Amino acid sequence: MNPIASSAPASRGPADHNVRDQIVEAAGEHFGHYGYDKTTVSDLAKAIGFSKAYIYKFFDSKQAIGEAICSKTLTAIVVAVEEAVAGATTPTEKFRRMFKTLAATGASLFFNDRKLYDIAAHSAGEGWPSARAHCERIRQILTEVIREGREKGEFERKTPLDETVHAIDLVMQPYVSPLLLQYNLDAVEEGPAQLSNLVLRSLAP
């Protein structure tokens, strides 16, 4: 009896994981075709062949399903930014790469996987935890870059650090926030570069 009892939880784990993946995949399809707002948990249950109650065993709400999709997407963007920053040797270049990568990954999402972009935009508009965590991580990376630039003498030190980071964050928003980026796609190539130059001039010691 004991071997069977000890092996049961392990056997359920992968099955649960597969069910969660099925739900998330079906949700992605439905959100893509009908939009997040028009899709219900009942719609997802019918698409997968599960009961609504069974879906609620894995996700306590439609938002929780959306969060699972959004969190994975936003995590990939953060990873791309971290890799871009890590590949630069100076704080100035780190900032340029950070801004460029944020704009480029957002634009790529818009053009290549609109359903994921729309969910990210919805999460930003509704202030989902995944969106707030994403914004906070980006601010952390920006803060680290600015602090390093000050320590190395590349950036001015008179303005309070939090004020500087907040101001730069505001400048970046039109090309970083999925809510705003969709209105600035025509300038997604030159905009971030021009604004980077503007910001870097203001940071000069």
Side-chain angles (χ1 to χ4, degrees), residues 81-121:
V81 171
E82 290 174 337
E83 290 177 349
V85 169
T89 57
T90 67
T92 295
E93 185 59 25
K94 286 181 180 180
F95 174 72
R96 289 187 187 280
R97 291 193 181 191
M98 175 185 181
F99 199 167
K100 180 179 180 180
T101 301
L102 281 168
T105 52
S108 176
L109 198 63
F110 181 90
F111 289 115
N112 298 321
D113 204 332
R114 186 59 188 271
K115 66 185 179 185
L116 291 181
Y117 181 91
D118 287 344
I119 295 172

Side-chain angles (χ1 to χ4, degrees), residues 98-148:
M98 175 185 181
F99 199 167
K100 180 179 180 180
T101 301
L102 281 168
T105 52
S108 176
L109 198 63
F110 181 90
F111 289 115
N112 298 321
D113 204 332
R114 186 59 188 271
K115 66 185 179 185
L116 291 181
Y117 181 91
D118 287 344
I119 295 172
H122 187 94
S123 73
E126 296 296 316
W128 286 2
S130 57
R132 292 199 301 269
H134 174 73
C135 290
E136 180 56 32
R137 179 55 188 143
I138 295 302
R139 280 192 290 268
Q140 288 175 353
I141 296 172
L142 177 59
T143 300
E144 292 164 7
V145 171
I146 301 303
R147 183 179 289 116
E148 181 184 351

